[in-house]
Amino acid sequence: EAAVTQSPRNKVTVTGGNVTLSCRQTNSHNYMYWYRQDTGHGLRLIHYSYGAGNLQIGDVPDGYKATRTTQEDFFLLLELASPSQTSLYFCASSRTGGARAEQFFGPGTRLTVL
Amino acid sequence: GDSVTQTEGPVTVSESESLIINCTYSATSIAYPNLFWYVRYPGEGLQLLLKVITAGQKGSSRGFEATYNKETTSFHLQKASVQESDSAVYYCALGDYSNNRIFFGDGTQLVVKP
């Protein structure tokens, strides 16, 4: 069955730390997304990509970098983590872009920045 | 910009009772956005519950249904008789094809008591 996996599932780091969140999809999808979800907010798009080597900026990109190394793998990098980046992070994939396509989500990574 | 507002949770109902989770939307660039309900069960990622892309149409899945009402800009989620296994977080979402993006509401946690 097609799947989106994320690692780690939980991560604790300190302010100023360096964190990489990983996402892999076996759906053969072109599009991949990184979201964050905080209490009182819906999912907010950080970055997305429509293919290996491509990167598009989302709605809340500040403090985050992303890299799509292959069709399957999409990474989110926090180079100087701050407490404001404590959140639940979701990765997703879709066959085509945005407005109509069903997105398939990973189980999430809970990040705590102390 | 586009936005989605839904019932603030948690919503607690007893098994076999009826359920309605309200969702209203605002789409500033287009008249007929695509509308979605996603669900997130504990420990899992979001998954598509139902989707409707035509105003006036109803979508249904797993006993849930929602009708796309263009006049009231609403897409309320209903179920006649909930089960304990329906306990989850439900997200209403809007797909805007003018910018090829999906916008999510904050999510509504549903707790079904046995």
Side-chain angles (χ1 to χ4, degrees), chain A:
Chain A
E1 184 176 320
V4 180
T5 55
Q6 296 182 232
S7 63
R9 294 292 308 275
N10 291 281
K11 176 72 177 179
V12 180
T13 190
V14 296
T15 300
N18 198 318
V19 177
T20 298
L21 306 185
S22 302
C23 177
R24 167 164 283 202
Q25 56 101 358
T26 58
N27 300 328
S28 299
H29 285 168
N30 293 320
Y31 284 75
M32 295 185 74
Y33 311 82
W34 277 108
Y35 294 92
R36 61 177 289 174
Q37 177 163 32
D38 306 294
T39 303
H41 291 281
L43 275 71
R44 292 184 289 175
L45 183 65
I46 304 171
H47 290 298
Y48 66 104
S49 166
Y50 53 74
N54 175 264
L55 182 64
Q56 302 293 316
I57 295 172
D59 298 324
V60 289
D62 292 347
Y64 301 96
K65 293 184 179 179
T67 180
R68 180 90 176 269
T69 54
T70 65
Q71 186 185 39
E72 294 77 21
D73 298 303
F74 195 30
F75 301 93
L76 187 67
L77 295 77
L78 292 73
E79 294 184 329
L80 288 171
S82 72
S84 64
Q85 295 176 306
T86 293
S87 189
L88 179 59
Y89 291 85
F90 289 105
C91 176
S93 73
S94 65
R95 186 175 58 84
T96 60
R100 182 178 292 202
E102 176 180 0
Q103 294 189 15
F104 294 81
F105 284 80
T109 294
R110 187 165 295 280
L111 175 66
T112 303
V113 183
L114 302 175

Side-chain angles (χ1 to χ4, degrees), chain A residues 37 40 42 59 98-100 103 106, chain B residues 34 38 45 51 91 100-101 105-106:
Chain A
Q37 177 163 32
D59 298 324
R100 182 178 292 202
Q103 294 189 15
Chain B
N34 302 317
Y38 279 80
K51 170 176 86 172
Y91 298 84
N100 212 25
R101 290 282 313 281
D106 292 353

Side-chain angles (χ1 to χ4, degrees), chain B residues 5-73:
Chain B
T5 303
Q6 57 183 104
T7 301
E8 188 172 335
V11 171
T12 302
V13 297
S14 296
E15 201 164 30
S16 78
E17 288 186 346
S18 64
L19 168 73
I20 182 166
I21 298 176
N22 291 328
C23 172
T24 58
Y25 66 87
S26 172
T28 55
S29 304
I30 59 174
Y32 297 97
N34 302 317
L35 298 176
F36 306 81
W37 277 101
Y38 279 80
V39 58
R40 179 164 66 95
Y41 298 103
E44 299 181 12
L46 286 76
Q47 56 185 272
L48 182 66
L49 180 60
L50 55 88
K51 170 176 86 172
V52 179
I53 62 172
T54 304
Q57 297 296 306
K58 179 169 70 177
S60 60
S61 174
R62 310 181 208 177
F64 290 90
E65 58 183 38
T67 299
Y68 187 156
N69 190 318
K70 175 66 174 70
E71 286 67 38
T72 59
T73 62

